[in-house]
Amino acid sequence: MACARGREDTLSTRTIGAPLIEAAAAVDRPKVRLSEYGFTVLQIETLLACNMACSFCAYPLLEDKGARLDDATVLRLLDQVDPDDPEFEYVCFSHYNEPLLDDRVFDFLRAARERGLKTLLITNGLALRSPETVERLLSAEPDFIKISFQTASRHKFYQSRGTGISYEKYALTVIDFLRVAQERGGRTKVTVDFACNFMPWYQRLIRGLLGVEAGDPSVRHDLTSLSPYVVDCVE
């Protein structure tokens, strides 16, 4: 699956005859400036597979698990993106999936870079327990790696992320990767995401009275309550 993301909307080329797919059918057509269609990010889901079952993610509900884009399709998509589009940000090799479960993703990252495109890889971090995977990922040199830590809570981690690994082992996996990436240096910028819904107490109260959901229960409501959990993780 491939989709282009703008500032507010996601365009799925699965269900819409997107300009990118149409252009991919003929290599002699000019490259596509996605920003002209209102999109600044291209997401390519090369393999629909994940090693978590997060309560806040749609992946467990999807019916086409295991769907796989062939190599030629991925490369044709990359070939049609205009790298000189001033508003285009990057190609993101993930959507609902865990991209590191696709052994080809390292070559796809290199292929995008060879075409002058910046790249982002979002991972839940479980696969970073493998030194070989860490080496291959850092050697592929994506511009950005985002680790979706999400649930900075020992008590809610298992239920929220749907995985058998302990919170402590997971946190150490992420921190060890950060250490290796820092020692290695290079062009890749690594960030870690901790979820926060930034919902004021009065909005939570109103939603509670109306019986409306206030977001995933494993997510902290504000930075003040989130900070101790992040500090605990780092320590």
Side-chain angles (χ1 to χ4, degrees):
M1 174 176 155
C3 61
R5 179 171 63 79
R7 294 179 178 84
E8 298 180 355
D9 302 311
T10 296
L11 173 66
S12 171
T13 58
R14 228 182 228 169
T15 56
I16 301 175
L20 189 64
I21 293 297
E22 294 172 357
V27 295
D28 57 341
R29 293 186 183 181
K31 292 185 181 294
V32 177
R33 288 202 166 195
L34 288 176
S35 65
E36 294 181 359
Y37 300 91
F39 303 103
T40 60
V41 171
L42 172 66
Q43 290 180 265
I44 303 179
E45 189 177 64
T46 63
L47 175 65
L48 184 53
C50 192
N51 48 11
M52 283 188 170
C54 301
S55 62
F56 50 81
C57 180
Y59 173 78
L61 305 177
L62 300 178
E63 297 181 354
D64 56 345
K65 295 182 182 69
R68 183 178 185 272
L69 286 179
D70 61 80
D71 296 18
T73 298
V74 176
L75 295 179
R76 282 201 302 272
L77 288 168
L78 295 177
D79 282 335
Q80 298 308 312
V81 181
D82 185 354
D84 296 322
D85 183 345
E87 296 185 38
F88 183 73
E89 297 178 63
Y90 46 69
V91 178
C92 176
F93 285 98
S94 51
H95 191 52
Y96 292 118
N97 64 328
E98 168 48 54
L100 293 179
L101 294 182
D102 189 346
D103 196 53
R104 306 169 299 159
V105 73
F106 312 106
D107 291 330
F108 292 148
L109 287 167
R110 293 189 182 90
R113 190 174 72 249
E114 290 169 358
R115 289 160 173 75
L117 301 169
K118 289 186 176 181
T119 56
L120 164 68
L121 185 136
I122 303 175
T123 174
N124 61 36
L126 279 185
L128 300 177
R129 290 177 291 175
S130 164
E132 179 184 359
T133 298
V134 169
E135 173 59 30
R136 295 183 71 185
L137 176 57
L138 293 177
S139 295
E141 294 188 302
D143 292 273
F144 310 101
I145 297 173
K146 182 181 293 186
I147 302 175
S148 180
F149 200 109
Q150 286 293 120
T151 308
S153 169
R154 296 174 187 268
H155 306 296
K156 297 181 179 179
F157 176 80
Y158 177 79
Q159 180 180 1
S160 171
R161 305 309 298 270
T163 179
I165 188 174
S166 71
Y167 174 84
E168 289 76 12
K169 287 184 178 179
Y170 178 69
L172 287 173
T173 296
V174 172
I175 292 173
D176 285 344
F177 174 76
L178 294 176
R179 183 181 299 112
V180 172
Q182 184 179 39
E183 292 174 352
R184 186 186 183 98
R187 66 198 297 274
T188 302
K189 179 180 179 180
V190 183
T191 58
V192 180
D193 273 13
F194 295 94
C196 181
N197 67 17
F198 300 100
M199 185 177 295
W201 66 267
Y202 56 86
Q203 286 189 14
R204 297 198 302 273
L205 176 62
I206 294 173
R207 284 173 173 264
L209 294 174
L210 295 176
V212 180
E213 286 190 8
D216 190 277
S218 68
V219 174
R220 299 286 106 186
H221 295 299
D222 51 67
L223 291 177
T224 301
S225 60
L226 174 64
S227 298
Y229 289 90
V230 176
V231 172
D232 177 69
C233 166
V234 175
E235 289 178 345

